[in-house]
Structure formats: C-alpha cells, structure tokens
Amino acid sequence: MNFMTKSEIKNEVGKKWFLANQNTLNAKIIYISGLDRFDQYLGNSDQKDKSSVIHIKEMPKGLIVSLAKLFSTNKVGINYSKFKRIVLVKFERYSIIKFETVASPIFFGFANKDFAEIESFFASIIKIDFIEDNKLQIGSEIKIRFENYLYKNTYLLTVSTDDIKATKIKRLLNYIVDILVITVMSIPLIDKTDFSNYNFIIIIIFLFYYWIMEGVFSTTIGKIITNTKVVGTDGSSSDETFIRTISRIIPFEALSFLIGKNGWHDSISKTTVIDIDMRKKLLSKTYIKNSSNPY
C-alpha cells in the first residue's frame, strides 16, 4: 500500500460524518510489516521507539489504519475489495493477524489477552480464519520481527516465566528494601507525641506504595535495585496489581514466597516477579538487533 492523500483515502474507504457511530480499535496491535507508508516512517525503528500506536477505524468502504503519535498521524486506507481474507494465528504467548490482500500481506501482532476483542472487531468486517499455532501461516521472518519487538519492549515471549523467576534471595531483599522505604515515607506523617495511629498510617502507606509502584511502573524501589519486575504469569503487563496489593495484608503473607513456589500475592493475582538479567541472558542469543532483523 502506497502513500495516499486525504482525498484519496476518502475515495478509497468512504467518509463518515463527525457524529456517526464509528467502530474503532485503538492501541491494541503492533505493526510488523506490509505497509510501505509505515515502513518509510519507522525506518530501522519500531512503534515503541517512535512512541506511536496503531488505531484502526472502520469506514463504509474499508479501513483507515493510523500510526499515531500525539497529534501527528500516518494514515493508510484499505478498501474492503482488496481483502482476500484475514487470518488470526494464536501462538502460546502472543498472536499475529495476517491481512491477505490483492497486493502484499500485512501483519500485526498483539497479546493473547486482547484476542477476543480483536477477533470480534474484524469478524464484523470480513470472515476470519482462526488457526492455532500453525507455523505454515506465518513465516519465520514475521515471527522474528515481532519477537524482536517483544524482546526489546515487553516481557511477553515464548519463554516460561518459571525459567526467569527471581530467586528467593532477591525477593527477600526486595521486601527488606521496600519496607525500609515505606518506613522512611511514614515518618513525616506520624505525630511523634501520639503513636496510636502508627499502625494505621504504615498500612495505608504500605498499600499505596505497592499499588502505585507496581500498578504504574511494574516495579518498586527494591525491585529496581535487584533488577526484577512484576509481570503476569504469561509475561504480559498485569492488570491485577490492585488484587496483588490487597493480598499483601493477609497475615504472614510477606514471607509466603519463602516456603512455597510463589508468594500468596503472586498466586492470587496470577502474577510473578522475573529477573531481567536472567531473561536477557536466556534470550539475547536469539533476539538481538542486527541488520537482517530491523527490530
């Protein structure tokens, strides 16, 4: 697909009025290859490098695919008549969508947790062939491109989180450092002449500290020091950090990871703590940036 002017895009996919109900898919998929316009803009970079996201808008005659950064967008229009079929291929820890067009195929990748939403969006447009873990549908070059993106920018890869789990020693160190930080943070808020509210203040700061740090940054001060990070058990960013935080107030929970495979707050929230250095060591020989793999 080549560059198109606004009038050409309108002619290609149609126009909807401002107040029309528009079916859109926002920031759920990652561009891999197949659109010359996007390839020219990205060069040897990827979406994350450019701080860009993909938006797809359904129009009367086709789709508008936007690679957007703040108020700047690169748009391509694809007429429905140019679609031969759409193929969704689901692998163990990610999925790839393949648009087969009359020109060249277009590929996007996404996390499995968004599979149902993405399948529903495109199923309303055109018949979808769903194939689970079929290597014949997705060439190795496409997989390598997407997995290099995942290696650089996420913790979502076909590697078990059990293989890169932080050691119990590191997790104990995380806990000690974080408790020290929480204690220091609580000092200015405690009335030194009245310690009756001490425990309440500590608990509130404790909960907010973990909720904000792990919810926003997927880490804490202790984890930054040990170079570890909180992820979902499949390696994706977790949406259960609130549950993970609340689980920490269970009596004796803080040391539960010392006697079991995971801490109770891990098991309850379906999360784990991975060792970033261990992950790099395990995967760096396979997923490295080089001239043949632009991601």
Side-chain angles (χ1 to χ4, degrees):
M1 300 294 169
N2 297 319
F3 167 76
M4 284 188 273
T5 64
K6 288 183 179 179
S7 60
E8 288 173 329
I9 290 178
K10 186 190 304 182
N11 182 62
E12 186 76 20
V13 300
K15 179 182 178 181
K16 286 188 175 182
W17 293 107
F18 179 75
L19 296 178
N21 181 26
Q22 295 178 331
N23 190 18
T24 61
L25 182 68
N26 295 322
K28 296 289 184 180
I29 61 179
I30 304 298
Y31 173 69
I32 301 176
S33 71
L35 295 172
D36 293 341
R37 173 74 167 138
F38 291 174
D39 291 336
Q40 293 169 11
Y41 170 72
L42 293 173
N44 290 326
S45 303
D46 58 44
Q47 280 181 234
K48 187 72 172 180
D49 295 329
K50 296 282 189 177
S51 301
S52 300
V53 295
I54 293 288
H55 302 308
I56 298 180
K57 182 182 295 184
E58 181 185 1
M59 302 298 279
K61 299 195 306 181
L63 299 175
I64 290 179
V65 184
S66 301
L67 184 63
K69 179 180 180 179
L70 298 176
F71 300 104
S72 173
T73 60
N74 288 270
K75 296 183 179 180
V76 171
I78 308 174
N79 194 292
Y80 290 142
S81 64
K82 295 183 179 179
F83 284 116
K84 295 167 64 177
R85 68 171 181 164
I86 297 177
V87 180
L88 278 173
V89 183
K90 190 174 187 179
F91 296 96
E92 183 182 2
R93 302 198 182 265
Y94 64 82
S95 295
I96 291 178
I97 184 167
K98 176 184 180 183
F99 295 86
E100 293 186 357
T101 73
V102 294
S104 58
I106 303 166
F107 297 92
F108 296 90
F110 57 93
N112 283 345
K113 67 179 181 178
D114 297 321
F115 189 94
E117 179 180 349
I118 291 171
E119 181 182 33
S120 176
F121 177 85
F122 289 110
S124 66
I125 296 169
I126 191 172
K127 181 180 180 299
I128 293 178
D129 290 335
F130 167 56
I131 301 170
E132 190 161 1
D133 203 0
N134 187 324
K135 296 180 180 179
L136 297 178
Q137 289 293 326
I138 305 296
S140 59
E141 180 183 354
I142 297 302
K143 286 191 65 179
I144 289 172
R145 279 175 174 260
F146 188 50
E147 289 186 1
N148 269 284
Y149 174 89
L150 297 177
Y151 173 65
K152 282 178 57 184
N153 304 306
T154 76
Y155 296 92
L156 185 70
L157 270 174
T158 51
V159 56
S160 171
T161 49
D162 286 341
D163 295 334
I164 54 176
K165 189 184 299 184
T167 64
K168 292 184 178 183
I169 292 176
K170 281 196 172 185
R171 297 202 62 176
L172 179 59
L173 181 58
N174 292 344
Y175 178 72
I176 293 172
V177 171
D178 289 331
I179 289 299
L180 288 174
V181 172
I182 291 168
T183 302
V184 171
M185 291 173 60
S186 67
I187 291 175
L189 300 178
I190 297 173
D191 182 356
K192 298 183 183 301
T193 61
D194 182 6
F195 289 94
S196 60
N197 295 323
Y198 179 81
N199 290 335
F200 176 76
I201 292 173
I202 286 289
I203 291 173
I204 294 299
I205 295 176
F206 175 91
L207 293 176
F208 270 93
Y209 172 79
Y210 278 109
W211 185 27
I212 293 173
M213 290 295 295
E214 294 186 341
V216 177
F217 305 107
S218 299
T219 191
T220 62
I221 303 300
K223 294 179 183 67
I224 291 173
I225 293 174
T226 61
N227 204 23
T228 57
K229 200 173 189 72
V230 177
V231 297
T233 51
D234 64 350
S236 63
S237 298
S238 175
D239 297 325
E240 304 296 336
T241 50
F242 179 75
I243 294 176
R244 179 180 170 88
T245 298
I246 293 298
S247 301
R248 291 178 181 275
I249 63 177
I250 299 173
F252 306 108
E253 193 285 328
L255 300 178
S256 60
F257 66 89
L258 293 177
I259 57 176
K261 185 177 179 181
N262 294 296
W264 296 339
H265 60 284
D266 296 328
S267 302
I268 294 171
S269 63
K270 297 180 180 179
T271 58
T272 191
V273 178
I274 62 169
D275 187 317
I276 298 174
D277 291 329
M278 192 182 301
R279 177 181 181 273
K280 288 181 178 179
K281 183 178 180 180
L282 180 65
L283 298 173
S284 59
K285 293 181 180 180
T286 304
Y287 303 105
I288 56 174
K289 186 174 181 179
N290 55 52
S291 57
S292 61
N293 296 321
Y295 294 164

